[in-house]
Amino acid sequence: MANHQHASPAPVGGSLVNGTTLVCGVLIALMIANLLVRFIFGLGAVANINDGYSWGIWVVVDVMVGSALACGGFSVAMLVYIFNKGEYHPLVRPALLGSLFGYTLAGLGIFMDLGRWWNFWHIMWPTYANPNSVMFEVAVCVTAYILVMWIEFSPVFLEKFGLRDVKKKLNKVLFFFIALGVLLPMMHQSSLGTMLVVMGSQVHPLWQTPAVPLIYILSAIIIGYGVVLFESCVSAASYRRTIEMHLLNPLAKIMLGTLALYLVVRLGDLLIRDALGEAFKPTFVALSFWVENACFVAPFFLIGNVTARRNPARLFLAGLAIMGGGILLRLNGFLIGYDTGPGWTYFPSLAEVVVTTGMFAVEVISYIVISRRFPVLPREDAQLAH
């Protein structure tokens, strides 16, 4: 175990120009073109949002979903630094890298969706602060967490450029930022759920509950582990590296335990509120509820025993299922199961879809560039990737 724990990270190396980066480059160019139209001519020129649905996919997907998918760093850091599971340390940097760009782009998503975007600085100005607002708490927490993650990840850049003395000084205070890096996501992920409570009866009873902050924080932890399984399998296949089964196998077991707790809370809440009957009505909303929870139940069938957890393909599919469930949980609450009244509808425009796709393309290409040129992944087999 100690050997794995102390395996030093190294750049994967290889060319930055390949099919994936070229496709990402095209998607990013299309995103930039649409954003130019948005910032010059306003939100109405590109988005289908309206007075009934003031939040479209730029907020719900890029922020609500994007920040949940960026919880890998938080989930692994909690294991390593809070529960003292040092054997998972090699997973910290890759998970943190995914979280870093996920949250940074989520912050950019909020900026894009502001009607008067030139007033974005108001959130940081004390005279504009509203401490009673859940949106204010989320904005401050997310901004602080982005800064904290860049500080947490900075040793990667310091190692690359040989600034060992600076890294030694940073290491003396890094524990403080690691603690913040665990606390802040717990605060704002639960507050994202609180925003559904604030919306009242507009949110369908299957997702409108006082327990939604707990449901959101538990799901964020689970999604974090699912993303780590997904990213580890994808990076091992893409870079032709040996997959870290000695870490992913027990991590998957921890994920299943947390997932079981989540499902107990979710089902228990529906039973206590007598809301489960809504799931048996012949509606699209009820169907979406069942698909969401099928995704959360699927990992027990995919990796429910030790033998199954030794299969990389099953780990990949389990991670994918968890991500699907987490995405639907948030889409269902904020869009599919949200009804602002008769006369209002929303479906994303092509420009909205192009921008959102471009945001994810930025994350993918950034992950490739950083992992190939900076010490993120464990040194093992790094020289084989091209």
Side-chain angles (χ1 to χ4, degrees):
M1 183 179 72
N3 290 337
H4 294 302
Q5 182 176 349
H6 298 292
S8 57
V12 172
S15 174
L16 297 179
V17 180
N18 53 49
T20 302
T21 55
L22 288 174
V23 170
C24 286
V26 172
L27 293 174
I28 292 168
L30 292 172
M31 176 190 71
I32 292 172
N34 281 277
L35 285 178
L36 285 174
V37 175
R38 177 265 175 272
F39 286 116
I40 294 172
F41 298 103
L43 269 173
V46 294
N48 282 346
I49 56 176
N50 49 59
D51 289 344
Y53 288 85
S54 56
W55 285 348
I57 60 171
W58 286 356
V59 169
V60 178
V61 175
D62 298 358
V63 181
M64 309 298 182
V65 171
S67 66
L69 294 178
C71 279
F74 151 63
S75 297
V76 175
M78 188 165 57
L79 261 187
V80 173
Y81 300 112
I82 303 300
F83 295 105
N84 199 30
K85 300 292 184 180
E87 63 266 30
Y88 295 106
H89 200 274
L91 298 176
V92 170
R93 283 191 178 181
L96 186 59
L97 177 59
S99 297
L100 183 64
F101 287 109
Y103 266 98
T104 301
L105 293 173
L108 181 60
I110 295 174
F111 174 73
M112 292 187 317
D113 200 70
L114 292 175
R116 298 178 181 178
W117 56 268
W118 53 88
N119 289 332
F120 74 94
W121 57 272
H122 285 183
I123 192 64
M124 296 301 159
W125 201 253
T127 55
Y128 288 100
N130 180 6
N132 296 319
S133 168
V134 65
M135 292 182 68
F136 173 77
E137 190 272 340
V138 169
V140 171
C141 271
V142 168
T143 304
Y145 186 48
I146 291 170
L147 294 174
V148 164
M149 278 194 295
W150 278 104
I151 294 171
E152 281 187 89
F153 196 73
S154 62
V156 172
F157 301 111
L158 297 177
E159 287 176 19
K160 173 68 175 179
F161 299 114
L163 301 173
R164 295 183 181 84
D165 292 338
V166 179
K167 185 188 172 187
K168 285 181 181 179
K169 292 178 181 178
L170 176 63
N171 284 341
K172 294 179 181 178
V173 295
L174 201 56
F175 70 93
F176 172 74
F177 295 101
I178 289 171
L180 279 179
V182 173
L183 174 65
L184 290 172
M186 295 182 73
M187 292 173 64
H188 65 249
Q189 285 296 333
S190 60
S191 293
L192 287 175
T194 304
M195 293 172 75
L196 285 181
V197 178
V198 173
M199 293 177 183
S201 60
Q202 295 177 107
V203 179
H204 195 278
L206 289 172
W207 296 278
Q208 178 55 281
T209 166
V212 74
L214 175 60
I215 289 170
Y216 265 47
I217 185 62
L218 284 175
S219 67
I221 295 169
I222 299 160
I223 294 165
Y225 294 140
V227 169
V228 170
L229 293 180
F230 174 81
E231 287 182 346
S232 297
C233 293
V234 170
S235 63
S238 301
Y239 293 153
R240 296 195 284 276
R241 296 166 56 87
T242 302
I243 191 167
E244 297 163 320
M245 294 302 295
H246 65 285
L247 297 178
L248 299 185
N249 193 319
L251 182 72
K253 188 176 180 180
I254 293 171
M255 183 186 77
L256 289 177
T258 313
L259 180 56
L261 174 61
Y262 165 82
L263 290 173
V264 168
V265 171
R266 186 79 168 99
L267 180 60
D269 168 71
L270 290 169
L271 292 173
I272 290 170
R273 291 188 297 108
D274 196 24
L276 190 58
E278 294 288 334
F280 295 95
K281 294 182 177 179
T283 63
F284 178 77
V285 172
L287 174 63
S288 192
F289 167 84
W290 287 113
V291 174
E292 168 199 319
N293 287 282
C295 288
F296 280 125
V297 171
F300 290 103
F301 295 94
L302 288 167
I303 55 171
N305 58 68
V306 176
T307 304
R309 286 195 293 274
R310 293 189 183 127
N311 187 325
R314 284 177 171 265
L315 289 176
F316 171 80
L317 290 174
L320 204 58
I322 289 293
M323 291 165 64
I327 290 169
L328 273 175
L329 173 65
R330 285 150 179 79
L331 283 179
N332 282 334
F334 284 98
L335 279 182
I336 297 172
Y338 177 78
D339 185 2
T340 193
W344 298 109
T345 58
Y346 167 79
F347 192 82
S349 67
L350 178 60
E352 288 177 272
V353 174
V354 167
V355 170
T356 294
T357 306
M359 295 277 280
F360 282 101
V362 171
E363 185 172 356
V364 171
I365 201 170
S366 299
Y367 190 96
I368 292 172
V369 171
I370 298 281
S371 60
R372 284 191 180 275
R373 294 293 178 262
F374 292 84
V376 175
L377 297 170
R379 185 176 298 275
E380 179 188 18
D381 292 337
Q383 73 277 7
L384 297 180
H386 296 287

